[in-house]
Amino acid sequence: MKHRQDIDGLRALAVLAVVLFHFGVTGMSGGYAGVDIFFVISGFLITSILMKDAEQQSISFLGFYEKRIRRLFPALFATILASFLAAYFIFMPDEFREFGRSAIAAIAYLSNVFFWLSSDYFQGSSELSPLLHTWSLAVEEQFYLIFPVVVWASYKAGKRVFYWSVAALFASSFVASIWYIDTSASTVFYLSPFRFWELLAGSIVAIAFKENIVPNAKAASWLSVLGLVLLISPIFILNKESLFPGWAAVPSCLGTALLIWANDQNQWIGRFLKLRFMQFTGKISYSMYLWHWPIVVFYGYWIIRELVWWDTLLLLLVTYGISHLSCKYLEGPFRLKRGNTLKPLKVYSTSIAFSAVIFVLGVMVWKGDGFKSRFPEFVEQANLKDSHKKSGFADCFIKEDQFYYDSWRYDTCVMKTPGATDTILLWGDSHAFHLIGGLKTIQQVLNVNIALYASAGCSPLFDTDIPRNPQCRVNNEFVKELIDKHDISRLILAGNWAWAFKVEDPDIDLSSVQSTFNTLTEWNKKVFIVNQVPIYPVQNPAFLGMRLATSSKAPADYLLAPEYGVEASEQIKALLPDKNVFSPQDLLCKKGKCLIYRDNEIMVRDRAHLSNAASVYIVQSMAAKLEEALGLPEPSDTRLNVEGE
């Protein structure tokens, strides 16, 4: 098909939105919608090519996939191999191990499934995954595997059958996306069936061109304006808390489809999209998308702080430079190369060979547990992210999208003390679960059993909907039955209160914490609230801890200003009686900064979840107040196990 410069301009808009969002540019809070622009463009181009081949009865699956390999694989191989090298030198073992697994998924174009399956409250932020962005490539490649077969099979029955097939697939995927997003936003975000409608939106535009259903020049000019507004607006309006994709993805997709359909008939928009800068960016957009994310991940990992403006400028320059070289020396030569009939065989065999190399490297890193020997002894302490699995109660933590009746059982989720007759219910989310290590050290002294009931993302609140976590109301309401059935009279409530309602700290309203507390006390229950822990602006605290531990000039204690959580802590203290609340920030923080490293031990295993050392420190510190609030025998300090497990 004829090359369209306006589509190169749209590619530029898409990649700039994504890159500037990832580089933390102010105002670009919805830049992730750039991926949806790419999806529509890809659907349009692939459908146009396949329909032309189908009309000529010349669809060649081997030829089609050969072109995809030439187009996509060389730069992808280079990105993954370069990321292996960088990860080897700076990633901690847990992150390197996960990187090895993600590389295997990326080369198999199953990244979307991998990141969907491996999402875990205790695995830390996905922002430490250099190959996270390959999820979108996986979605496209899965589309490329299925769609040519749909075109070939349906065209045999006539092009109208193909048109109706596209319409049916589009409608099914779109309805599924809208219907299921409230149940599981991560499923809809990552998995192909819920994303195919975006590529099929491009297919519909291609069909419109095929049937010569196009707007006249005047209508096209106005549609271009509307399309540009719809395309750009989400980039500035959406944010990381938006329920996405679902309805929120419609403006980006519709805007892109309208701009393609308008066929470059608005003079001013056309000039903008054809600017040399836009054309250059559009031509390197694939390489730019591939390289920018590993660059920002590794850079941010090393500096251990938020990006500032000069970081962003530096990263942009580096990204443009590497992307230009990648496009010139990797994409171009392989994509444009032509040859005899043996060339496809060489293309396939070479891609298989490189894939095998990456697969073997990934397995070595994964099964080698991230090559711990690369780092000093401190790494065993700093390698924290799987420590929750050693608690003995990992199976009692109800994961995202799960309901209590799926797997949680009371009898297997009670830490028992010989001879104890009283049971405390520890109720909350992952911020309740991370107290287990500390509670084990005082349990015998308090002479109580402790039942753990913790549900991912579900702060312990009655009669309250938690945004993006529809399972929470049901899971939390079950506590009423739990209390009654097991005659529980004492409860500890702990949660990530600051993020319960997915709003920024100053705007949070935690009155539901007070109402839940009041409900329990009206039932003559003794209640103790563990207040908000500080949320740090550090994605890789283990790496910070290692650098501090191996530095001769590092202090034994290191404080850092929290990113948020201060307002939530103060609000809870104002809402509840002081005797019933323990505030970790009062213990950890002074003058706006909080301990992230204490007595040469790291205090968190990601931005907010406590390490075992911190759990022990906090629980030991609140023990006296806890026993008083719950009416327990006073613990003897001499019997406390201050060393933890």
Side-chain angles (χ1 to χ4, degrees):
M1 61 179 294
K2 180 183 176 182
H3 180 75
R4 286 180 53 173
Q5 288 184 298
D6 60 316
I7 289 181
D8 282 335
L10 291 177
R11 285 193 177 109
L13 285 176
V15 77
L16 285 172
V18 173
V19 169
L20 295 179
F21 165 67
H22 284 154
F23 287 2
V25 174
T26 303
M28 305 288 288
S29 58
Y32 53 81
V35 171
D36 305 86
I37 300 171
F38 276 127
F39 282 161
V40 178
I41 293 172
S42 296
F44 170 73
L45 295 174
I46 292 301
T47 304
S48 299
I49 292 167
L50 288 171
M51 282 197 302
K52 181 180 177 181
D53 291 345
E55 290 283 346
Q56 300 170 356
Q57 297 184 339
S58 61
I59 288 182
S60 167
F61 294 114
L62 287 176
F64 175 82
Y65 295 123
E66 179 207 348
K67 290 176 183 176
R68 292 298 92 206
I69 291 171
R70 288 183 184 275
R71 173 76 175 91
L72 301 174
F73 274 39
L76 178 63
F77 286 145
T79 302
I80 295 175
L81 290 172
S83 297
F84 260 112
L85 188 63
Y88 176 84
F89 283 106
I90 70 169
F91 264 9
M92 298 292 284
D94 52 349
E95 284 116 8
F96 195 33
R97 182 186 64 242
E98 288 306 299
F99 172 79
R101 296 176 65 220
S102 70
I104 296 169
I107 208 63
Y109 282 103
L110 291 171
S111 291
N112 59 330
V113 178
F114 171 78
F115 287 111
W116 172 64
L117 288 175
S118 61
S119 57
D120 185 334
Y121 254 65
F122 292 95
Q123 287 299 319
S125 174
S126 59
E127 292 177 23
L128 292 183
S129 301
L131 301 179
L132 173 66
H133 63 321
T134 60
W135 74 267
S136 65
L137 304 183
V139 170
E140 286 198 26
E141 195 64 22
Q142 289 157 22
F143 181 78
Y144 298 155
L145 285 172
I146 296 170
F147 195 63
V149 178
V150 172
V151 177
W152 174 77
S154 58
Y155 248 91
K156 283 186 172 294
K159 66 179 181 180
R160 296 294 171 185
V161 174
F162 167 65
Y163 295 168
W164 281 110
S165 298
V166 169
L169 289 171
F170 173 87
S172 300
S173 177
F174 179 72
V175 170
S177 174
I178 300 301
W179 168 69
Y180 202 66
I181 194 166
D182 285 321
T183 301
S184 177
S186 63
T187 300
V188 174
F189 185 90
Y190 282 118
L191 296 192
S192 298
F194 303 99
R195 287 287 198 161
F196 277 174
W197 69 269
E198 301 181 34
L199 290 109
L200 291 165
S203 300
I204 291 171
V205 178
I207 291 171
F209 275 108
K210 180 67 179 174
E211 293 298 312
N212 201 31
I213 304 172
V214 293
N216 60 44
K218 184 176 181 180
S221 180
W222 283 108
L223 286 173
S224 296
V225 174
L226 176 60
L228 189 62
V229 171
L230 288 171
L231 182 151
I232 290 178
S233 296
I235 295 170
F236 301 99
I237 294 174
L238 297 175
N239 55 51
K240 61 185 178 181
E241 288 81 53
S242 300
L243 193 60
F244 192 88
W247 286 109
V250 170
S252 300
C253 296
L254 179 59
T256 306
L258 289 176
L259 280 164
I260 296 173
W261 190 41
N263 201 17
D264 194 22
Q265 294 193 59
N266 182 289
Q267 180 181 3
W268 299 106
I269 294 176
R271 286 180 179 177
F272 168 65
L273 294 177
K274 293 174 186 174
L275 289 172
R276 287 186 65 183
F277 170 73
M278 297 296 287
Q279 290 296 296
F280 173 72
T281 303
K283 284 180 171 61
I284 67 170
S285 59
Y286 175 62
S287 282
M288 198 168 171
Y289 181 79
L290 277 179
W291 287 101
H292 86 280
W293 182 244
I295 288 171
V296 74
V297 166
F298 289 121
Y299 183 81
Y301 191 93
W302 182 259
I303 64 173
I304 321 179
R305 59 169 171 77
E306 296 292 303
L307 299 179
V308 295
W309 70 268
W310 59 266
D311 292 313
T312 300
L313 180 59
L314 173 64
L315 292 175
L316 274 173
L317 292 173
V318 171
T319 298
Y320 264 99
I322 292 177
S323 301
H324 171 64
L325 294 174
S326 175
C327 183
K328 184 175 181 179
Y329 295 108
L330 292 173
E331 284 191 66
F334 287 94
R335 184 175 73 248
L336 301 176
K337 196 169 184 178
R338 299 288 184 266
N340 55 45
T341 55
L342 294 177
K343 285 296 174 66
L345 180 60
K346 290 183 179 179
V347 169
Y348 282 108
S349 61
T350 302
S351 66
I352 291 171
F354 272 96
S355 298
V357 169
I358 291 172
F359 177 81
V360 170
L361 286 173
V363 171
M364 288 173 61
V365 172
W366 172 24
K367 295 301 182 181
D369 206 18
F371 296 172
K372 294 180 180 179
S373 60
R374 295 172 299 134
F375 291 102
E377 242 177 69
F378 174 79
V379 79
E380 285 303 317
Q381 177 203 325
N383 203 30
L384 300 164
K385 291 187 179 175
D386 287 335
S387 59
H388 70 289
K389 295 178 182 177
K390 302 173 185 177
S391 68
F393 291 89
D395 292 338
C396 297
F397 182 64
I398 304 168
K399 297 178 181 179
E400 283 188 289
D401 307 332
Q402 285 188 338
F403 292 88
Y404 70 89
Y405 45 74
D406 291 330
S407 60
W408 191 88
R409 299 293 180 270
Y410 179 83
D411 291 341
T412 60
C413 295
V414 179
M415 298 190 298
K416 294 185 178 180
T417 297
T421 56
D422 289 327
T423 297
I424 297 173
L425 177 64
L426 174 60
W427 171 31
D429 52 26
S430 55
H431 285 225
F433 192 19
H434 69 193
L435 296 175
I436 287 292
L439 287 169
K440 282 184 176 182
T441 68
I442 66 169
Q443 182 180 0
Q444 282 192 316
V445 177
L446 298 180
N447 193 32
V448 293
N449 303 315
I450 299 176
L452 172 66
Y453 184 75
S455 181
C458 301
S459 294
L461 302 168
F462 286 140
D463 306 314
T464 303
D465 291 314
I466 305 294
R468 300 180 67 172
N469 292 93
Q471 78 281 6
C472 287
R473 179 181 276 267
V474 173
N475 286 348
N476 283 336
E477 290 303 301
F478 175 66
V479 171
K480 297 175 182 177
E481 179 182 331
L482 198 59
I483 290 171
D484 183 60
K485 183 177 180 180
H486 297 283
D487 194 27
I488 290 170
S489 60
R490 297 178 173 91
L491 297 93
I492 300 173
L493 276 59
N496 187 3
W497 313 102
W499 205 237
F501 300 103
K502 315 299 186 290
V503 296
E504 296 297 335
D505 217 7
D507 303 320
I508 198 165
D509 176 9
L510 293 173
S511 56
S512 53
V513 179
Q514 184 183 45
S515 62
T516 300
F517 176 84
N518 291 341
T519 298
L520 290 168
T521 54
E522 287 169 5
W523 296 345
N524 296 317
K525 307 302 179 185
K526 297 183 184 297
V527 184
F528 189 73
I529 307 287
V530 181
N531 207 342
Q532 179 69 44
V533 299
I535 312 295
Y536 297 97
V538 173
Q539 306 291 354
N540 54 330
F543 186 62
L544 169 63
M546 189 200 70
R547 287 174 66 176
L548 288 169
T550 54
S551 170
S552 59
K553 299 180 181 179
D557 295 346
Y558 186 82
L559 291 90
L560 195 67
E563 184 176 3
Y564 68 88
V566 176
E567 173 61 32
S569 178
E570 294 301 315
Q571 192 174 144
I572 287 175
K573 286 197 291 184
L575 288 170
L576 301 174
D578 178 71
K579 67 177 183 178
N580 296 94
V581 179
F582 180 80
S583 297
Q585 292 188 39
D586 291 346
L587 175 69
L588 301 174
C589 309
K590 60 182 179 181
K591 297 182 180 178
K593 293 186 177 182
C594 305
L595 283 169
I596 192 171
Y597 185 72
R598 174 184 174 271
D599 287 346
N600 299 304
E601 291 190 293
I602 200 70
M603 300 294 281
V604 284
R605 52 180 177 253
D606 50 35
R607 296 174 66 217
H609 294 110
L610 301 176
S611 66
N612 193 66
S615 179
V616 170
Y617 177 53
I618 288 172
V619 171
Q620 297 261 333
S621 300
M622 74 182 191
K625 196 171 188 178
L626 172 69
E627 66 86 19
E628 183 179 352
L630 298 186
L632 296 168
E634 185 174 355
S636 170
D637 290 342
T638 59
R639 295 172 61 193
L640 290 176
N641 176 12
V642 296
E643 295 300 324
E645 292 180 72

